[in-house]
Amino acid sequence: MDEGFEGLLAQISGVMKLSEEDAHRISTELYRGGVKSLTNGAALFEMNSRLAGTDTTWDRLFVSAVRDFVLIHSDPRNWVTEDEADWLIEQIDRKGARPIASEVDLLLQIMRYAEGVPARLGYFTLQVACARISDLGKATAEDVERVRRALIVPAGEGGGWITGAEAELLVRTNDSIGFAVNDPSWNDLFARAISNHLMARAHPEPASETSILSREHWVGDMRPEPGTFLEDVRAGFSEGGWFAPISQNEDRAEAARRAAHAAARRESVISTEDESSWFLKCVSEEKSVSLAERALLDFLRLEAPGFTQGLAAAS
């Protein structure tokens, strides 16, 4: 950025709402030269803390300007370095304050367009997306979509499925809003994401199922035909080493495979109370079952008959 733009920032630094004229001037300066330094980038974050949400034009300008600075106007191009990840986290991590929507959107755009991103920035993106929901006290459709987009990109080492850290974060978020008036999309996303994590944990060789267990398959497309989601996997719950990674005991794993097989063939029935007890024991403290947790149980019952019975026996 040149001195003209720095002067423009100084002129409007105290305003609480951007005028159409100011927005046009900033847009002209940004498209002419772009953000060129961390100092000026930080100034945009400071302005955004006051202007975010007051004008959609400003929100778009802020996101595009900082995104291009990180991915285009710094080296290596289209990569986020460790130092840049530190800088982004420092600008956005305001302890105790609700994350700003446009800053979450900025991170999501960087994650989408970058060729490489440090894993901790991916997890941080999911953290702030979930923090908006917890702080608001309910899940809106817009914030659920932000969480979904944050889950698409792996946030740590693993095979491409939802990690334990991500699953725990989703469970904590649901604990904070489980009985609020949430958008129904939260229940569906929670069910799919936690199911993906549990399926990968129970699979004897999850790396051999990189397509069917990929997070893209589970949360990338929210519209698969019900009951056909896991056609290629569910028939094998009674075979191989299923449930062994969870049970850590071959006898229990074998009992789990038998339970899954019997339940899938409708030779055994597990009660709703038993299913709920299994879920609470595995992923949460003792409490009532929320709509999202019920959606998880229903999803597994429909898509993977016998799987919850196998988990109950293996846990």
Side-chain angles (χ1 to χ4, degrees):
M1 255 185 280
D2 58 22
E3 293 183 359
F5 189 58
E6 291 179 354
L8 176 59
L9 285 179
Q11 291 176 36
I12 64 176
S13 62
V15 304
M16 300 302 293
K17 182 174 176 62
L18 203 65
S19 69
E20 183 176 344
E21 179 183 358
D22 286 337
H24 178 73
R25 292 163 65 195
I26 289 178
S27 178
T28 299
E29 291 290 345
L30 285 174
Y31 283 111
R32 184 178 69 176
V35 179
K36 294 293 180 61
S37 71
L38 293 178
T39 300
N40 292 133
L44 286 178
F45 272 102
E46 197 280 328
M47 287 184 61
N48 190 59
S49 68
R50 297 192 311 277
L51 297 176
T54 63
D55 186 277
T56 56
T57 299
W58 165 258
D59 291 340
R60 289 195 300 270
L61 286 173
F62 167 76
V63 170
S64 63
V66 180
R67 178 200 65 209
D68 290 351
F69 167 60
V70 173
L71 297 182
I72 298 177
H73 299 303
S74 60
D75 293 324
R77 190 181 177 96
N78 294 326
W79 287 77
V80 180
T81 66
E82 293 289 343
D83 288 343
E84 288 168 338
D86 286 340
W87 179 75
L88 286 166
I89 292 172
E90 180 183 357
Q91 300 304 313
I92 294 172
D93 188 15
R94 302 178 185 87
K95 303 297 185 182
R98 181 186 305 172
I100 297 172
S102 58
E103 294 179 348
V104 181
D105 293 339
L106 165 65
L107 291 174
L108 291 170
Q109 287 218 13
I110 289 174
M111 298 280 288
R112 176 183 178 185
Y113 292 110
E115 295 180 22
V117 176
R120 59 196 174 82
L121 184 62
Y123 185 67
F124 176 74
T125 301
L126 180 62
Q127 283 182 305
V128 292
C130 287
R132 277 189 56 82
I133 291 176
S134 295
D135 188 78
L136 185 61
K138 65 178 182 180
T140 65
E142 294 78 12
D143 281 328
V144 173
E145 176 61 14
R146 290 185 176 101
V147 172
R148 188 191 71 81
R149 290 169 58 196
L151 286 169
I152 293 296
V153 180
E157 295 182 0
W161 45 82
I162 304 299
T163 67
E166 291 170 319
E168 290 173 7
L169 178 55
L170 292 175
V171 169
R172 291 198 302 270
T173 302
N174 188 65
D175 284 347
S176 69
I177 55 124
F179 299 96
V181 182
N182 301 310
D183 188 87
S185 60
W186 170 254
N187 302 332
D188 193 22
L189 179 62
F190 180 86
R192 290 167 183 255
I194 300 299
S195 294
N196 175 236
H197 168 66
L198 292 172
M199 194 69 63
R201 275 196 63 201
H203 199 295
E205 297 181 14
S208 67
E209 299 281 2
T210 54
S211 178
I212 199 70
L213 290 178
S214 72
R215 60 183 68 215
E216 179 69 34
H217 176 69
W218 288 73
V219 301
D221 180 2
M222 301 297 286
R223 298 170 296 171
E225 186 69 23
T228 63
F229 203 74
L230 290 172
E231 286 180 313
D232 296 334
V233 171
R234 60 189 180 190
F237 292 153
S238 61
E239 304 170 357
W242 272 94
F243 303 108
I246 290 179
S247 69
Q248 299 295 309
N249 178 288
E250 183 50 41
D251 289 340
R252 279 170 49 196
E254 177 59 33
R257 290 191 287 272
R258 289 197 303 269
H261 178 70
R265 291 173 57 86
R266 300 185 182 279
E267 294 176 358
S268 175
V269 177
I270 189 167
S271 70
T272 298
E273 290 75 15
D274 287 341
E275 284 182 319
S276 299
S277 297
W278 157 77
F279 175 79
L280 296 173
K281 180 173 68 174
C282 286
V283 297
S284 188
E285 297 179 355
E286 186 175 352
K287 60 179 178 57
S288 300
V289 178
S290 69
L291 288 177
E293 292 161 345
R294 174 56 53 197
L296 166 61
L297 296 172
D298 291 343
F299 180 84
L300 286 172
R301 186 185 299 112
L302 175 65
E303 301 292 349
F307 185 69
T308 55
Q309 288 87 336
L311 286 175
S315 300

